[in-house]
Amino acid sequence: MRLWELINLIEKEISAENAKIHASRISSYHRIQASPGFHEAARYVYDQLVKLGLKPRVYKYVADGKTEYLGWISPVGWEIFDGELWIIEPERVCLGKFRDRPILVIAHSGSTPEEGIEGEVIDVGGGERVEDYRGRDVRGKFVLACGDIFKVHLEAVVKRGAVGILSYDPRRSETPTASIYRGIWPFADEIDKIGVAFSISLKDAERIKQHIREGKKVKVWGRVRSRFFKGEIEVISLLMEGKTKEEVILIAHLCHPMPGSNDNASGSGLLIELARTISELIKKGFSLGKSVRFLWVPEMSGTAAYLHGNPESKQIRFCINLDMVGENQEVCDSVLTLVRSPESLPSYLPYLAGIILDKVFSKGERQFGDVDILPLKRWKKTPYTIGSDHYIFADSTIGVPSIAFIHWPDKFYHTSLDTPDKLDSEELKRVGIAALATALFLSKPENEDLIWISEKIVDECLLEIMKSFEQTLESMMMRDKDKASKAFKEGIIRLNYMKEWKSGVLRSLLEFKNTQVEKAVNRGVRLINSTVDRLIKRIKEIAEEMEIKIPEKSNLEAQAGKICPFRKHKGPISMRKLRKLLSEEEYEQYRLRFKADKSLEVKLTEALNFIDGARSVLDIYYAVVSEYGDFDLRDLMKYFDDLRRKGIIELRRNTNNE
């Protein structure tokens, strides 16, 4: 079946309302990982699939705060029964009750005595630094803080004896009445040190701050009933068998606190509807080539557990992640983004998905003058990033080309206001059509489409290459000769890497072993290579005219060129893994660096992916710079050295550089 026919077939079968109903019902569960609420939501998914006549399977893994899967440290089981928080001085005001707003009680909060606890509130600003506590005695008191909740808990409760935390986010001025999703995520040996923690709205935080500014003592009373236990990670799996055992994965994370409608009841609810849709298509005669597997997981921890030692995972060829896919774009101020697979793992997958999205989103209103069509909704393709389940599949030790559909930004993200009324059934349907069409095409493509798609990919790759060329020329026009020289050097390096990556994207189509496809691919590779060579030649000519020379290698670059890293650890290195590996001081350095520059964690993650036993540290650095832009080589050198000390990677002498 041709691609456009496939899209039309899915569009006729898929139900927007079904997807929204499932998402709304899932949002009624408090779905903290390894909690009874997550189990209830998983049971809902399982029961719905059974009602459709399907045969889902439940995988269960230990969740005890110490067992590792692909280096991902499992969450500890946690259950919340009840909680409430009141200001009792200088006024009596209820700040919230768990039954009305589950996010009020921070995930993994400890319990209070049955009668609750009361204490004065001390404003410690961010609450992450030693300086925040200078001159402030917080023992036996509550702290009001806006910093990272784990760090605040460590500094205030563990080190200084505070009885609890009132956490808020000063950046949420658009949603001042909302509580923000927070989680302490303790390891097993930290459970007995956990205090009580509440997430209050910015409005309530300002209320407390105003009292303190007026010189009034603020006291609160809080009560929490919760418990820690050895829990389970549950993964719901549904396999739709094709002619081969190779699999295309459609995945959504089922976790997050109630309501969590867009994040990520939307993806989980849509996945149920996609399972129904594909089942109906098969009944009507559609057949699968590669098998298609649906997975509902606790985010990251469930994916890592499923992939860890599971022989079925060796059959996975592609992954499509549905995370925050039901946004009403106007209400949430969001854009649908297609997160590409990393350049370390070149694949035609994100290009195919982009072609399909273009088709699905092309239906719109006539332009003024009736000369064109304007799209009704926004979407954009973005570079590879981490933070959701696709990035575990895309890790080079797993090696599965992966993409994600995610709406971003979202002003209700991780708040108590992420409610079902923010969902848009038509947006769910659009994303569902695009995701399922991509999966089914991957399962059973038509050769004519493959040839056409290869040509579309060549066109897009050439546009990306030309854009890089133009950016290089623009940067070379700087008056600062050193900066112009650096731009000259990086531009040539980037174009050479793009030649490698874009050729790799096309060559990934060769898996279909078709003569006509092979000819189209080889033709495209030759065109890409010749284009890049011509553009590099032109850059060098312009540089010569401008008397710009490539700068000499620095001592640090020379050193990086002599070292070749090797991976000894399967799976990505999460922040929780770093916290376990490093000393408190070392971990804190990374936490602060990543907080100051959110892209740095992405760059270091991709640097690990580029380790192949042949590239030097300098080669890897250049590859990451080519993909994302400049960053400090010293950060990469330190990261690799820290991982070497902990046995995660090995650093050897680069014999290729001799």
Side-chain angles (χ1 to χ4, degrees), residues 1-14 277 281 286 352-363 429-441 449 452-453:
M1 182 179 294
R2 298 298 298 273
L3 180 56
W4 303 145
E5 294 174 326
L6 178 61
I7 291 173
N8 290 333
L9 188 67
I10 294 169
E11 185 176 15
K12 290 176 183 176
E13 181 59 45
I14 192 171
T277 301
L281 294 180
F286 186 86
L352 168 65
I355 290 168
I356 292 172
L357 272 176
D358 262 338
K359 177 68 174 178
V360 173
F361 274 68
S362 65
K363 297 179 179 180
K429 182 176 181 178
R430 278 185 286 269
V431 177
I433 293 168
L436 191 55
T438 302
L440 294 185
F441 184 87
D449 283 328
W452 173 75
I453 285 169

Side-chain angles (χ1 to χ4, degrees), residues 64-81:
D64 56 5
K66 58 184 178 181
T67 300
E68 295 188 25
Y69 305 99
L70 295 182
W72 201 276
I73 302 167
S74 65
V76 67
W78 180 75
E79 182 174 13
I80 171 70
F81 301 100

Side-chain angles (χ1 to χ4, degrees), residues 256-294:
H256 282 10
M258 177 184 172
S261 296
N262 272 313
D263 189 14
N264 185 36
S266 65
S268 297
L270 178 57
L271 213 57
I272 297 173
E273 174 57 16
L274 295 187
R276 186 200 67 80
T277 301
I278 193 173
S279 175
E280 289 300 314
L281 294 180
I282 290 171
K283 289 177 185 177
K284 294 174 182 178
F286 186 86
S287 62
L288 296 174
K290 293 182 180 70
S291 300
V292 176
R293 186 182 295 274
F294 297 81

Side-chain angles (χ1 to χ4, degrees), residues 107 225 299 371 438 463 631:
R225 288 198 302 121
E299 191 172 20
V371 295
T438 302
L463 285 173
F631 73 111

Side-chain angles (χ1 to χ4, degrees), residues 419-479:
T419 46
D421 58 299
K422 313 300 190 311
L423 294 169
D424 179 355
S425 57
E426 288 304 313
E427 188 77 347
L428 278 165
K429 182 176 181 178
R430 278 185 286 269
V431 177
I433 293 168
L436 191 55
T438 302
L440 294 185
F441 184 87
L442 292 169
S443 169
K444 190 180 179 183
E446 288 284 344
N447 289 331
E448 291 177 88
D449 283 328
L450 286 171
I451 295 168
W452 173 75
I453 285 169
S454 72
E455 293 169 349
K456 293 279 288 184
I457 290 173
V458 170
D459 291 342
E460 189 169 343
C461 288
L462 289 175
L463 285 173
E464 293 171 3
I465 288 167
M466 185 57 67
K467 182 179 178 180
S468 178
F469 168 73
E470 291 169 351
Q471 289 172 342
T472 298
L473 292 188
E474 183 179 336
S475 298
M476 285 170 60
M477 299 302 168
M478 293 186 232
R479 292 184 180 179

Side-chain angles (χ1 to χ4, degrees), residues 384 390-400 567 570-572 609:
Y384 167 73
H390 61 279
Y391 109 95
I392 296 180
F393 285 92
D395 183 85
S396 63
T397 61
I398 309 298
V400 175
R567 293 190 71 166
K570 191 171 183 179
N609 289 337

Side-chain angles (χ1 to χ4, degrees), residues 585-602:
E585 292 75 20
E586 290 171 327
Y587 172 77
E588 182 64 4
Q589 288 179 11
Y590 280 103
R591 192 186 69 81
L592 291 175
R593 289 303 311 278
F594 294 162
K595 184 177 180 180
D597 177 7
K598 293 181 180 179
S599 74
L600 181 58
E601 187 180 359
V602 179

Side-chain angles (χ1 to χ4, degrees), residues 590 594 600-608 631 635-636 639:
Y590 280 103
F594 294 162
L600 181 58
E601 187 180 359
V602 179
K603 292 170 181 174
L604 295 181
T605 299
E606 179 68 329
L608 277 178
F631 73 111
D635 286 332
L636 181 59
Y639 185 62

